[in-house]
Amino acid sequence: MTTTDHSTGGNSNDDESQVVPHKRQRLDGVSVIHGNDGASPVYQHQQSEETALTMFGGTTTSKMEDIILMPTMRLLGHKKSVYSLAFDPSGECLCSSSLDMTCLLWNTTTPFHNYNVLTGHKNAVLDVKFSGEEHIVTASADKTLMWWDACTGDRIRTFRGHTKVVNAVDATAERQQLLASASDDGFVKLWDARVGSSRGAFVMQLIHGNQYQVTSVAFSFDAHTVYSGGIDNLITAFDIRAPDRDAAKKPHHHDGQERKLMSMKGHTDTITCLSIRPDGTQLLSNSMDGTIRSWDIRPFVSGRRLLKTFVGGTHNAEKGLLNCSWSADGTMISGGSSDRLVHVWDEYTAEELYCLPGHTGCVNSVLFHPHQNNFIASASSDKTIFIGQLAQ
């Protein structure tokens, strides 16, 4: 059963704060639960010193600007570890991927509920991204990517071509529908989701380093550059617009050597995630060396591109691909951590602003809302997702 749990971080004596949920008719095999016949309950103002998360009083509405009026929520439904989270561009939908081979779609406007489930992968779903508001792409340990209709939950097509685990995926805006995937086979592959067949959708492949396993990938803000990170501890940038001299001789099998722009050094262990700042000027990287670093990716920069190093998060022997993310205005950053805590840093000073307990397993993914700067979601190996607002 898929449920949502109101986690307040403190006790309230007001009877009105007690929510009595009821079940609605099952949709696509998923139980959707609302409170008080779909109406939003009234919550008393209460702040927890333990979690630094805030509850606000007043009756909530379904408008996106009022989402901060909800208390901290715990979303239950996955049967195994939750690996990745993705908001749609409006912030009204959250998608979570899991070791249980499924993705769950959550409505983040009040009342919170799970409204669909994506099934079809034959192994863990390691990464998920939205492409606009209408499509979702997933990367799996079954060596495939899948392209989904975000509105209906139907699988549109499957992209095959990688020969090993697909660790990460990124997508451009809806109008372009370009996908980039990173795999243990040492390749970054680009796909055009507008093409009907899997073979026809394959655009090119890029070799990361000496064909080391690639664990992370990200498009630049303008989608002209692809960044990849892997077990060689390097971040490599490729210009996907550059012509390939061997394109006519070897169509769809480019090695990307002539497209390579630069490599950025600094990490001392595997890079687990890459994330572009909302304004497109910086790149954030998480690594198994226990640091998160920011890089200046503007063109024609002289000197070192490494800007800041954020410390406090940890990686453990599980060697999970922990993510990293930016707040909506780029003033805060966060990332997964094996110490079961959600860490949030100030981007300007690199000082830790919040250290939030609550999870009982490794925190694999932390994600900021695309419009509400202090609204944050976290996913963990404890099978749960927490979503709420940071205290001011």
Side-chain angles (χ1 to χ4, degrees), residues 141-144 160-166 183-187 189 205 211:
D142 64 10
K143 310 175 188 178
T144 69
R160 296 180 174 88
H162 285 293
T163 58
K164 293 185 179 180
V165 171
V166 185
S183 170
D184 279 351
D185 60 16
F187 292 108
K189 291 182 182 285
Q205 66 183 14
Q211 205 169 342

Side-chain angles (χ1 to χ4, degrees), residues 281-293:
T281 61
Q282 295 181 32
L283 178 71
L284 197 66
S285 59
N286 197 349
S287 170
M288 292 184 186
D289 62 15
T291 66
I292 296 177
R293 301 180 187 229

Side-chain angles (χ1 to χ4, degrees), residues 307-318:
L307 296 176
K308 298 181 181 72
T309 300
F310 305 88
V311 296
T314 60
H315 287 248
N316 60 14
E318 294 179 2

Side-chain angles (χ1 to χ4, degrees), residues 286 312-316 322-323 335-343 345 361-366:
N286 197 349
T314 60
H315 287 248
N316 60 14
L322 309 185
N323 92 322
S337 182
S338 63
D339 58 8
R340 301 177 291 180
L341 300 173
V342 175
H343 299 271
W345 291 268
C362 175
V363 178
N364 299 310
S365 181
V366 183

Side-chain angles (χ1 to χ4, degrees), residues 34-54:
H34 294 274
N36 298 341
D37 297 324
S40 302
V42 176
Y43 296 94
Q44 299 299 312
H45 182 277
Q46 188 176 57
Q47 180 169 339
S48 168
E49 295 181 355
E50 295 181 356
T51 62
L53 291 164
T54 305

